[in-house]
Amino acid sequence: MFDFDDSLKLQEYISLRQEIMQNYRYVFERPLLILAAIGAIGIQGNVESIYFPFLPFILSFLLLINLWFTANRLRSSARIAAYIQVVLEPPIAIHIGWERSLRMYRMWMKKTKEPEREKIIKDIIGRSIISSSALFYPPIHLFHVVMVSFALIISIHSYYSCLMQGKAYDFLPNLSFFSTLITSCIFYYYCFGENRPGKIKNLIERDRAIWFFLFNDEVKKWS
């Protein structure tokens, strides 16, 4: 009932591989584009401008968004790679297609509580055989941490200079500093929380375990 012919499987395989490559391209290109854009603004901008102190805030905000996007794309790529390894590359009892499988995956993730998911994953793969994936992520993660920390230091220095000049109650310096500070705190929360390298490196193995569980469960329904 669910079997696709080989040509459809091949098309799906090619399409998913292309999506993985596109995700990786975004992951590597976006930080460089952000850095280049900020550098261009900094070089062409007027240091005496009242808006120039907002550069640290802009940089930290863009890096916060980009870190979230990077982790999101890596999770997507891991989910696809695990699906390809479990469903498309080896022979499997059923094949219901990527979109339907993804819906099944998301529904299961939504209705299954985290402790139960962790138990299922551990039972299938075991900690001793987990291999690392996305080995390039730690340097990207470190790049974001260094750049946001740099932006925060610049913002603190700029704010301190304003205080020394008797501008403690000026609106724009206060807005610039506290905007950067709040954005940086949010960044550090996500950076060292759910998006830390330790949570990203095992994504493929974890998703493989989930796909194995879901498809074995689906086989039992139709057997």
PDB file of all heavy atoms in Angstrom, residues 61-92:
ATOM      1  N   PHE A  61      22.141  41.400  17.913  1.00  0.00           N
ATOM      2  CA  PHE A  61      20.802  40.954  17.506  1.00  0.00           C
ATOM      3  C   PHE A  61      20.878  40.045  16.285  1.00  0.00           C
ATOM      4  O   PHE A  61      20.242  38.979  16.240  1.00  0.00           O
ATOM      5  CB  PHE A  61      19.920  42.168  17.203  1.00  0.00           C
ATOM      6  CG  PHE A  61      18.535  41.801  16.742  1.00  0.00           C
ATOM      7  CD1 PHE A  61      17.582  41.372  17.651  1.00  0.00           C
ATOM      8  CD2 PHE A  61      18.196  41.881  15.397  1.00  0.00           C
ATOM      9  CE1 PHE A  61      16.304  41.020  17.226  1.00  0.00           C
ATOM     10  CE2 PHE A  61      16.925  41.535  14.964  1.00  0.00           C
ATOM     11  CZ  PHE A  61      15.979  41.105  15.885  1.00  0.00           C
ATOM     12  N   LEU A  62      21.672  40.442  15.286  1.00  0.00           N
ATOM     13  CA  LEU A  62      21.807  39.631  14.080  1.00  0.00           C
ATOM     14  C   LEU A  62      22.444  38.276  14.390  1.00  0.00           C
ATOM     15  O   LEU A  62      22.041  37.252  13.830  1.00  0.00           O
ATOM     16  CB  LEU A  62      22.632  40.379  13.032  1.00  0.00           C
ATOM     17  CG  LEU A  62      21.968  41.591  12.373  1.00  0.00           C
ATOM     18  CD1 LEU A  62      22.935  42.275  11.407  1.00  0.00           C
ATOM     19  CD2 LEU A  62      20.695  41.185  11.640  1.00  0.00           C
ATOM     20  N   LEU A  63      23.415  38.272  15.286  1.00  0.00           N
ATOM     21  CA  LEU A  63      24.066  37.007  15.651  1.00  0.00           C
ATOM     22  C   LEU A  63      23.131  36.107  16.452  1.00  0.00           C
ATOM     23  O   LEU A  63      23.184  34.880  16.326  1.00  0.00           O
ATOM     24  CB  LEU A  63      25.344  37.288  16.442  1.00  0.00           C
ATOM     25  CG  LEU A  63      26.497  37.841  15.606  1.00  0.00           C
ATOM     26  CD1 LEU A  63      27.610  38.364  16.503  1.00  0.00           C
ATOM     27  CD2 LEU A  63      27.043  36.780  14.657  1.00  0.00           C
ATOM     28  N   LEU A  64      22.276  36.699  17.272  1.00  0.00           N
ATOM     29  CA  LEU A  64      21.269  35.910  17.996  1.00  0.00           C
ATOM     30  C   LEU A  64      20.342  35.214  17.012  1.00  0.00           C
ATOM     31  O   LEU A  64      20.093  34.003  17.122  1.00  0.00           O
ATOM     32  CB  LEU A  64      20.469  36.825  18.924  1.00  0.00           C
ATOM     33  CG  LEU A  64      19.196  36.224  19.552  1.00  0.00           C
ATOM     34  CD1 LEU A  64      19.541  35.028  20.428  1.00  0.00           C
ATOM     35  CD2 LEU A  64      18.434  37.281  20.336  1.00  0.00           C
ATOM     36  N   ILE A  65      19.828  35.973  16.046  1.00  0.00           N
ATOM     37  CA  ILE A  65      18.939  35.399  15.035  1.00  0.00           C
ATOM     38  C   ILE A  65      19.663  34.340  14.221  1.00  0.00           C
ATOM     39  O   ILE A  65      19.115  33.268  13.930  1.00  0.00           O
ATOM     40  CB  ILE A  65      18.393  36.497  14.105  1.00  0.00           C
ATOM     41  CG1 ILE A  65      17.570  37.519  14.892  1.00  0.00           C
ATOM     42  CG2 ILE A  65      17.557  35.893  12.980  1.00  0.00           C
ATOM     43  CD1 ILE A  65      16.360  36.937  15.586  1.00  0.00           C
ATOM     44  N   ASN A  66      20.924  34.622  13.877  1.00  0.00           N
ATOM     45  CA  ASN A  66      21.669  33.682  13.044  1.00  0.00           C
ATOM     46  C   ASN A  66      22.003  32.397  13.790  1.00  0.00           C
ATOM     47  O   ASN A  66      21.992  31.318  13.190  1.00  0.00           O
ATOM     48  CB  ASN A  66      22.960  34.324  12.540  1.00  0.00           C
ATOM     49  CG  ASN A  66      23.635  33.480  11.487  1.00  0.00           C
ATOM     50  OD1 ASN A  66      23.117  33.308  10.385  1.00  0.00           O
ATOM     51  ND2 ASN A  66      24.783  32.920  11.814  1.00  0.00           N
ATOM     52  N   LEU A  67      22.299  32.480  15.095  1.00  0.00           N
ATOM     53  CA  LEU A  67      22.571  31.260  15.864  1.00  0.00           C
ATOM     54  C   LEU A  67      21.318  30.388  15.912  1.00  0.00           C
ATOM     55  O   LEU A  67      21.401  29.168  15.747  1.00  0.00           O
ATOM     56  CB  LEU A  67      23.021  31.604  17.274  1.00  0.00           C
ATOM     57  CG  LEU A  67      23.352  30.376  18.137  1.00  0.00           C
ATOM     58  CD1 LEU A  67      24.626  29.694  17.639  1.00  0.00           C
ATOM     59  CD2 LEU A  67      23.495  30.753  19.609  1.00  0.00           C
ATOM     60  N   TRP A  68      20.171  31.020  16.130  1.00  0.00           N
ATOM     61  CA  TRP A  68      18.912  30.257  16.136  1.00  0.00           C
ATOM     62  C   TRP A  68      18.693  29.607  14.781  1.00  0.00           C
ATOM     63  O   TRP A  68      18.333  28.428  14.702  1.00  0.00           O
ATOM     64  CB  TRP A  68      17.747  31.186  16.470  1.00  0.00           C
ATOM     65  CG  TRP A  68      16.415  30.506  16.318  1.00  0.00           C
ATOM     66  CD1 TRP A  68      15.774  29.749  17.260  1.00  0.00           C
ATOM     67  CD2 TRP A  68      15.600  30.477  15.139  1.00  0.00           C
ATOM     68  NE1 TRP A  68      14.588  29.258  16.739  1.00  0.00           N
ATOM     69  CE2 TRP A  68      14.459  29.692  15.448  1.00  0.00           C
ATOM     70  CE3 TRP A  68      15.701  31.051  13.878  1.00  0.00           C
ATOM     71  CZ2 TRP A  68      13.442  29.455  14.520  1.00  0.00           C
ATOM     72  CZ3 TRP A  68      14.696  30.818  12.953  1.00  0.00           C
ATOM     73  CH2 TRP A  68      13.587  30.034  13.278  1.00  0.00           C
ATOM     74  N   PHE A  69      18.920  30.373  13.710  1.00  0.00           N
ATOM     75  CA  PHE A  69      18.726  29.848  12.361  1.00  0.00           C
ATOM     76  C   PHE A  69      19.703  28.705  12.085  1.00  0.00           C
ATOM     77  O   PHE A  69      19.322  27.687  11.499  1.00  0.00           O
ATOM     78  CB  PHE A  69      18.928  30.969  11.336  1.00  0.00           C
ATOM     79  CG  PHE A  69      18.773  30.532   9.908  1.00  0.00           C
ATOM     80  CD1 PHE A  69      17.528  30.493   9.303  1.00  0.00           C
ATOM     81  CD2 PHE A  69      19.881  30.155   9.165  1.00  0.00           C
ATOM     82  CE1 PHE A  69      17.388  30.083   7.988  1.00  0.00           C
ATOM     83  CE2 PHE A  69      19.748  29.738   7.850  1.00  0.00           C
ATOM     84  CZ  PHE A  69      18.492  29.711   7.263  1.00  0.00           C
ATOM     85  N   THR A  70      20.959  28.859  12.496  1.00  0.00           N
ATOM     86  CA  THR A  70      21.973  27.830  12.277  1.00  0.00           C
ATOM     87  C   THR A  70      21.592  26.522  12.961  1.00  0.00           C
ATOM     88  O   THR A  70      21.639  25.448  12.349  1.00  0.00           O
ATOM     89  CB  THR A  70      23.341  28.304  12.794  1.00  0.00           C
ATOM     90  OG1 THR A  70      23.745  29.473  12.066  1.00  0.00           O
ATOM     91  CG2 THR A  70      24.397  27.221  12.624  1.00  0.00           C
ATOM     92  N   ALA A  71      21.220  26.610  14.241  1.00  0.00           N
ATOM     93  CA  ALA A  71      20.826  25.405  14.972  1.00  0.00           C
ATOM     94  C   ALA A  71      19.581  24.775  14.356  1.00  0.00           C
ATOM     95  O   ALA A  71      19.474  23.544  14.255  1.00  0.00           O
ATOM     96  CB  ALA A  71      20.564  25.749  16.443  1.00  0.00           C
ATOM     97  N   ASN A  72      18.657  25.621  13.903  1.00  0.00           N
ATOM     98  CA  ASN A  72      17.435  25.114  13.259  1.00  0.00           C
ATOM     99  C   ASN A  72      17.758  24.359  11.980  1.00  0.00           C
ATOM    100  O   ASN A  72      17.215  23.277  11.712  1.00  0.00           O
ATOM    101  CB  ASN A  72      16.486  26.283  12.981  1.00  0.00           C
ATOM    102  CG  ASN A  72      15.215  25.864  12.292  1.00  0.00           C
ATOM    103  OD1 ASN A  72      15.147  25.838  11.060  1.00  0.00           O
ATOM    104  ND2 ASN A  72      14.198  25.544  13.058  1.00  0.00           N
ATOM    105  N   ARG A  73      18.657  24.912  11.159  1.00  0.00           N
ATOM    106  CA  ARG A  73      19.044  24.252   9.908  1.00  0.00           C
ATOM    107  C   ARG A  73      19.803  22.955  10.171  1.00  0.00           C
ATOM    108  O   ARG A  73      19.646  21.976   9.438  1.00  0.00           O
ATOM    109  CB  ARG A  73      19.908  25.195   9.063  1.00  0.00           C
ATOM    110  CG  ARG A  73      19.205  26.407   8.484  1.00  0.00           C
ATOM    111  CD  ARG A  73      18.082  26.010   7.535  1.00  0.00           C
ATOM    112  NE  ARG A  73      16.825  25.773   8.258  1.00  0.00           N
ATOM    113  CZ  ARG A  73      15.796  25.112   7.766  1.00  0.00           C
ATOM    114  NH1 ARG A  73      15.854  24.560   6.569  1.00  0.00           N
ATOM    115  NH2 ARG A  73      14.689  24.952   8.467  1.00  0.00           N
ATOM    116  N   LEU A  74      20.640  22.933  11.203  1.00  0.00           N
ATOM    117  CA  LEU A  74      21.374  21.709  11.530  1.00  0.00           C
ATOM    118  C   LEU A  74      20.428  20.618  12.026  1.00  0.00           C
ATOM    119  O   LEU A  74      20.617  19.442  11.704  1.00  0.00           O
ATOM    120  CB  LEU A  74      22.441  22.003  12.581  1.00  0.00           C
ATOM    121  CG  LEU A  74      23.636  22.824  12.103  1.00  0.00           C
ATOM    122  CD1 LEU A  74      24.592  23.102  13.251  1.00  0.00           C
ATOM    123  CD2 LEU A  74      24.367  22.112  10.977  1.00  0.00           C
ATOM    124  N   ARG A  75      19.423  20.994  12.802  1.00  0.00           N
ATOM    125  CA  ARG A  75      18.433  20.008  13.234  1.00  0.00           C
ATOM    126  C   ARG A  75      17.655  19.465  12.047  1.00  0.00           C
ATOM    127  O   ARG A  75      17.363  18.273  11.972  1.00  0.00           O
ATOM    128  CB  ARG A  75      17.481  20.640  14.261  1.00  0.00           C
ATOM    129  CG  ARG A  75      18.126  20.892  15.611  1.00  0.00           C
ATOM    130  CD  ARG A  75      17.116  21.331  16.653  1.00  0.00           C
ATOM    131  NE  ARG A  75      17.737  21.414  17.967  1.00  0.00           N
ATOM    132  CZ  ARG A  75      18.262  22.522  18.480  1.00  0.00           C
ATOM    133  NH1 ARG A  75      18.227  23.651  17.769  1.00  0.00           N
ATOM    134  NH2 ARG A  75      18.822  22.513  19.662  1.00  0.00           N
ATOM    135  N   SER A  76      17.314  20.353  11.108  1.00  0.00           N
ATOM    136  CA  SER A  76      16.614  19.921   9.902  1.00  0.00           C
ATOM    137  C   SER A  76      17.477  18.973   9.081  1.00  0.00           C
ATOM    138  O   SER A  76      17.006  17.926   8.613  1.00  0.00           O
ATOM    139  CB  SER A  76      16.226  21.145   9.060  1.00  0.00           C
ATOM    140  OG  SER A  76      15.696  20.763   7.813  1.00  0.00           O
ATOM    141  N   SER A  77      18.756  19.320   8.924  1.00  0.00           N
ATOM    142  CA  SER A  77      19.665  18.472   8.142  1.00  0.00           C
ATOM    143  C   SER A  77      19.863  17.120   8.806  1.00  0.00           C
ATOM    144  O   SER A  77      19.924  16.088   8.125  1.00  0.00           O
ATOM    145  CB  SER A  77      21.025  19.172   7.980  1.00  0.00           C
ATOM    146  OG  SER A  77      20.886  20.358   7.224  1.00  0.00           O
ATOM    147  N   ALA A  78      19.984  17.099  10.131  1.00  0.00           N
ATOM    148  CA  ALA A  78      20.149  15.832  10.849  1.00  0.00           C
ATOM    149  C   ALA A  78      18.921  14.956  10.690  1.00  0.00           C
ATOM    150  O   ALA A  78      19.028  13.739  10.501  1.00  0.00           O
ATOM    151  CB  ALA A  78      20.416  16.107  12.325  1.00  0.00           C
ATOM    152  N   ARG A  79      17.749  15.565  10.746  1.00  0.00           N
ATOM    153  CA  ARG A  79      16.506  14.808  10.584  1.00  0.00           C
ATOM    154  C   ARG A  79      16.426  14.192   9.190  1.00  0.00           C
ATOM    155  O   ARG A  79      16.043  13.033   9.017  1.00  0.00           O
ATOM    156  CB  ARG A  79      15.319  15.737  10.839  1.00  0.00           C
ATOM    157  CG  ARG A  79      13.983  15.058  10.920  1.00  0.00           C
ATOM    158  CD  ARG A  79      12.964  15.917  11.623  1.00  0.00           C
ATOM    159  NE  ARG A  79      12.896  17.258  11.057  1.00  0.00           N
ATOM    160  CZ  ARG A  79      13.169  18.368  11.748  1.00  0.00           C
ATOM    161  NH1 ARG A  79      13.527  18.287  13.014  1.00  0.00           N
ATOM    162  NH2 ARG A  79      13.075  19.553  11.174  1.00  0.00           N
ATOM    163  N   ILE A  80      16.823  14.976   8.179  1.00  0.00           N
ATOM    164  CA  ILE A  80      16.803  14.476   6.803  1.00  0.00           C
ATOM    165  C   ILE A  80      17.841  13.379   6.606  1.00  0.00           C
ATOM    166  O   ILE A  80      17.564  12.334   6.007  1.00  0.00           O
ATOM    167  CB  ILE A  80      17.051  15.634   5.811  1.00  0.00           C
ATOM    168  CG1 ILE A  80      15.886  16.623   5.846  1.00  0.00           C
ATOM    169  CG2 ILE A  80      17.226  15.102   4.394  1.00  0.00           C
ATOM    170  CD1 ILE A  80      16.146  17.897   5.070  1.00  0.00           C
ATOM    171  N   ALA A  81      19.074  13.620   7.108  1.00  0.00           N
ATOM    172  CA  ALA A  81      20.147  12.639   6.946  1.00  0.00           C
ATOM    173  C   ALA A  81      19.782  11.317   7.610  1.00  0.00           C
ATOM    174  O   ALA A  81      20.027  10.235   7.047  1.00  0.00           O
ATOM    175  CB  ALA A  81      21.447  13.185   7.537  1.00  0.00           C
ATOM    176  N   ALA A  82      19.183  11.392   8.798  1.00  0.00           N
ATOM    177  CA  ALA A  82      18.774  10.174   9.494  1.00  0.00           C
ATOM    178  C   ALA A  82      17.677   9.455   8.721  1.00  0.00           C
ATOM    179  O   ALA A  82      17.667   8.220   8.624  1.00  0.00           O
ATOM    180  CB  ALA A  82      18.305  10.509  10.906  1.00  0.00           C
ATOM    181  N   TYR A  83      16.752  10.213   8.138  1.00  0.00           N
ATOM    182  CA  TYR A  83      15.678   9.618   7.334  1.00  0.00           C
ATOM    183  C   TYR A  83      16.252   8.897   6.118  1.00  0.00           C
ATOM    184  O   TYR A  83      15.848   7.776   5.783  1.00  0.00           O
ATOM    185  CB  TYR A  83      14.710  10.711   6.903  1.00  0.00           C
ATOM    186  CG  TYR A  83      13.641  10.261   5.932  1.00  0.00           C
ATOM    187  CD1 TYR A  83      12.464   9.671   6.377  1.00  0.00           C
ATOM    188  CD2 TYR A  83      13.810  10.442   4.557  1.00  0.00           C
ATOM    189  CE1 TYR A  83      11.478   9.264   5.492  1.00  0.00           C
ATOM    190  CE2 TYR A  83      12.838  10.032   3.660  1.00  0.00           C
ATOM    191  CZ  TYR A  83      11.669   9.451   4.133  1.00  0.00           C
ATOM    192  OH  TYR A  83      10.708   9.044   3.238  1.00  0.00           O
ATOM    193  N   ILE A  84      17.213   9.535   5.453  1.00  0.00           N
ATOM    194  CA  ILE A  84      17.845   8.918   4.283  1.00  0.00           C
ATOM    195  C   ILE A  84      18.530   7.610   4.676  1.00  0.00           C
ATOM    196  O   ILE A  84      18.402   6.590   3.999  1.00  0.00           O
ATOM    197  CB  ILE A  84      18.860   9.892   3.650  1.00  0.00           C
ATOM    198  CG1 ILE A  84      18.116  11.052   2.959  1.00  0.00           C
ATOM    199  CG2 ILE A  84      19.752   9.167   2.632  1.00  0.00           C
ATOM    200  CD1 ILE A  84      19.032  12.137   2.435  1.00  0.00           C
ATOM    201  N   GLN A  85      19.264   7.620   5.797  1.00  0.00           N
ATOM    202  CA  GLN A  85      19.987   6.424   6.231  1.00  0.00           C
ATOM    203  C   GLN A  85      19.040   5.296   6.622  1.00  0.00           C
ATOM    204  O   GLN A  85      19.299   4.129   6.326  1.00  0.00           O
ATOM    205  CB  GLN A  85      20.877   6.775   7.421  1.00  0.00           C
ATOM    206  CG  GLN A  85      22.030   7.705   7.080  1.00  0.00           C
ATOM    207  CD  GLN A  85      22.820   8.125   8.302  1.00  0.00           C
ATOM    208  OE1 GLN A  85      22.764   7.489   9.342  1.00  0.00           O
ATOM    209  NE2 GLN A  85      23.553   9.214   8.182  1.00  0.00           N
ATOM    210  N   VAL A  86      17.928   5.642   7.266  1.00  0.00           N
ATOM    211  CA  VAL A  86      17.018   4.611   7.776  1.00  0.00           C
ATOM    212  C   VAL A  86      16.046   4.136   6.708  1.00  0.00           C
ATOM    213  O   VAL A  86      15.770   2.944   6.588  1.00  0.00           O
ATOM    214  CB  VAL A  86      16.241   5.151   9.003  1.00  0.00           C
ATOM    215  CG1 VAL A  86      15.147   4.168   9.431  1.00  0.00           C
ATOM    216  CG2 VAL A  86      17.193   5.407  10.157  1.00  0.00           C
ATOM    217  N   VAL A  87      15.538   5.066   5.890  1.00  0.00           N
ATOM    218  CA  VAL A  87      14.419   4.746   4.998  1.00  0.00           C
ATOM    219  C   VAL A  87      14.846   4.519   3.552  1.00  0.00           C
ATOM    220  O   VAL A  87      14.416   3.554   2.911  1.00  0.00           O
ATOM    221  CB  VAL A  87      13.347   5.852   5.058  1.00  0.00           C
ATOM    222  CG1 VAL A  87      12.191   5.539   4.120  1.00  0.00           C
ATOM    223  CG2 VAL A  87      12.842   6.028   6.474  1.00  0.00           C
ATOM    224  N   LEU A  88      15.684   5.396   3.014  1.00  0.00           N
ATOM    225  CA  LEU A  88      15.973   5.354   1.579  1.00  0.00           C
ATOM    226  C   LEU A  88      17.168   4.479   1.220  1.00  0.00           C
ATOM    227  O   LEU A  88      17.173   3.836   0.169  1.00  0.00           O
ATOM    228  CB  LEU A  88      16.205   6.779   1.053  1.00  0.00           C
ATOM    229  CG  LEU A  88      15.004   7.726   1.132  1.00  0.00           C
ATOM    230  CD1 LEU A  88      15.362   9.081   0.547  1.00  0.00           C
ATOM    231  CD2 LEU A  88      13.798   7.148   0.402  1.00  0.00           C
ATOM    232  N   GLU A  89      18.197   4.480   2.047  1.00  0.00           N
ATOM    233  CA  GLU A  89      19.400   3.727   1.683  1.00  0.00           C
ATOM    234  C   GLU A  89      19.263   2.225   1.915  1.00  0.00           C
ATOM    235  O   GLU A  89      19.563   1.451   1.017  1.00  0.00           O
ATOM    236  CB  GLU A  89      20.613   4.305   2.423  1.00  0.00           C
ATOM    237  CG  GLU A  89      20.985   5.698   1.899  1.00  0.00           C
ATOM    238  CD  GLU A  89      22.181   6.297   2.599  1.00  0.00           C
ATOM    239  OE1 GLU A  89      22.553   5.789   3.682  1.00  0.00           O
ATOM    240  OE2 GLU A  89      22.747   7.265   2.079  1.00  0.00           O
ATOM    241  N   PRO A  90      18.812   1.764   3.075  1.00  0.00           N
ATOM    242  CA  PRO A  90      18.625   0.310   3.230  1.00  0.00           C
ATOM    243  C   PRO A  90      17.203  -0.083   2.830  1.00  0.00           C
ATOM    244  O   PRO A  90      16.316   0.761   2.791  1.00  0.00           O
ATOM    245  CB  PRO A  90      18.831   0.105   4.735  1.00  0.00           C
ATOM    246  CG  PRO A  90      18.318   1.360   5.341  1.00  0.00           C
ATOM    247  CD  PRO A  90      18.595   2.464   4.337  1.00  0.00           C
ATOM    248  N   PRO A  91      16.965  -1.361   2.537  1.00  0.00           N
ATOM    249  CA  PRO A  91      15.595  -1.796   2.286  1.00  0.00           C
ATOM    250  C   PRO A  91      14.791  -1.737   3.574  1.00  0.00           C
ATOM    251  O   PRO A  91      15.277  -2.112   4.637  1.00  0.00           O
ATOM    252  CB  PRO A  91      15.759  -3.249   1.812  1.00  0.00           C
ATOM    253  CG  PRO A  91      17.051  -3.683   2.391  1.00  0.00           C
ATOM    254  CD  PRO A  91      17.939  -2.468   2.420  1.00  0.00           C
ATOM    255  N   ILE A  92      13.572  -1.243   3.500  1.00  0.00           N
ATOM    256  CA  ILE A  92      12.724  -1.144   4.682  1.00  0.00           C
ATOM    257  C   ILE A  92      11.332  -1.636   4.323  1.00  0.00           C
ATOM    258  O   ILE A  92      10.943  -1.627   3.149  1.00  0.00           O
ATOM    259  CB  ILE A  92      12.683   0.303   5.211  1.00  0.00           C
ATOM    260  CG1 ILE A  92      12.134   0.341   6.655  1.00  0.00           C
ATOM    261  CG2 ILE A  92      11.846   1.197   4.333  1.00  0.00           C
ATOM    262  CD1 ILE A  92      12.366   1.665   7.345  1.00  0.00           C
TER     263      ILE A  92
END
